[in-house]
Amino acid sequence: MPAVTLSTLQALKQKGEKIAMLTAYDATFAKLACQAGVDVLLIGDSLGMVVQGHDSTLPVSLADMVYHTAAVKRGNQGALILSDLSFMSYANLEQTYASCAALMQAGAHMVKLEGAAWLAEPISRLAERGVPVCAHLGLTPQSVNVFGGYKVQGRGEAQARQLLADAMALEQAGAAMLLLECVPSALAAEISRAVQIPVIGIGAGVDTDGQVLVMHDLLGLSLSGRTPKFVKNFMSGQDSLLGAFSAYVRAVKAAEFPAAEHGFSA
């Protein structure tokens, strides 16, 4: 199979075919996800919680992200590799350039930044310099202390209009992809229609261009014992990890996941 590129993802959106994204943090699971047909491997700063055991993503360092990106690259078999910029590793332009260079040199094909319309300038500058960017909107876990917890974003008319405006501004600035987390399903569908770039959802309903889950959630593993509403245990009924990953990919591609119960209302 040919390697997945940004052009591949754009073509999938244009054809109305869903994109399957999954987190990976090491070579073994990266290889397994590729065998299951995952299009995009996300090295998420979620590793701070599911791998390192922290209670948020904030303690994750850029060095952590570089290490895990390099490990995933060694196991990758054709998926597009997307890596998170860790907390405060993009506080100014010079730092952003250095952080992105480190991730791209480790094996990332695209980087992900959390924020809103204020990201327009760094996204534009990065696009000019050959760094594709995925903009993460909605519930942005690095801002958990500002939000006062992990809460749905974009509820109410004012918040919804602002989120839509942010999405369009970041596309205009040069973002190559959007990720919407914990956004009302109807709003996520509207944003997906309003922009030309692929939109990936997590807790954002079935009408985005693709879906992402944290691998450990997909497998029914949780340190906290709490299962987010948007999660489905794909290990249930399967006798192998490959079976669980494959079931997830099939469900995403068939628009069977997420179901209505996995989404949020306005």
Side-chain angles (χ1 to χ4, degrees), residues 90-119:
Y90 49 106
N92 57 58
L93 278 175
E94 291 306 316
Q95 185 185 32
T96 302
Y97 295 155
S99 298
C100 289
L103 289 176
M104 299 287 282
Q105 289 168 348
H109 302 120
M110 177 188 288
V111 300
K112 181 162 71 65
L113 294 75
E114 296 183 10
W118 62 268
L119 284 173

Side-chain angles (χ1 to χ4, degrees), residues 9 16 35 37 44 61 67 84 96 120 155 176 179 186 207 209 262:
L9 303 182
Q35 291 173 344
S61 69
Y67 172 88
D84 277 350
T96 302
R155 281 180 163 156
L179 189 148
D207 293 318
D209 302 307
H262 300 118

Side-chain angles (χ1 to χ4, degrees), residues 171-261:
E171 178 188 32
Q172 184 65 31
M177 187 157 64
L178 297 177
L179 189 148
L180 301 178
E181 180 170 357
C182 290
V183 170
S185 299
L187 174 59
E190 182 180 359
I191 291 172
S192 299
R193 292 190 299 267
V195 299
Q196 300 303 307
I197 56 177
V199 178
I200 307 298
I202 179 167
V206 74
D207 293 318
T208 53
D209 302 307
Q211 300 294 327
V212 63
L213 278 181
V214 171
M215 179 189 73
H216 295 67
D217 289 340
L218 178 154
L219 297 175
L221 302 173
S222 172
L223 282 174
S224 68
R226 298 188 301 271
T227 301
K229 179 181 181 181
F230 53 78
V231 168
K232 178 178 178 179
N233 180 357
F234 283 91
M235 193 69 212
S236 179
Q238 301 295 327
D239 59 6
S240 70
L241 296 173
L242 179 60
F245 287 177
S246 298
Y248 165 70
V249 172
R250 287 194 300 271
V252 169
K253 297 288 187 180
E256 295 171 354
F257 174 80
E261 65 263 27

Side-chain angles (χ1 to χ4, degrees), residues 57-81:
T57 64
L58 302 187
V60 177
S61 69
L62 180 66
D64 293 333
M65 296 306 306
V66 169
Y67 172 88
H68 286 279
T69 296
V72 166
K73 175 181 169 52
R74 289 190 284 269
N76 184 37
Q77 295 187 332
L80 185 141
I81 297 175

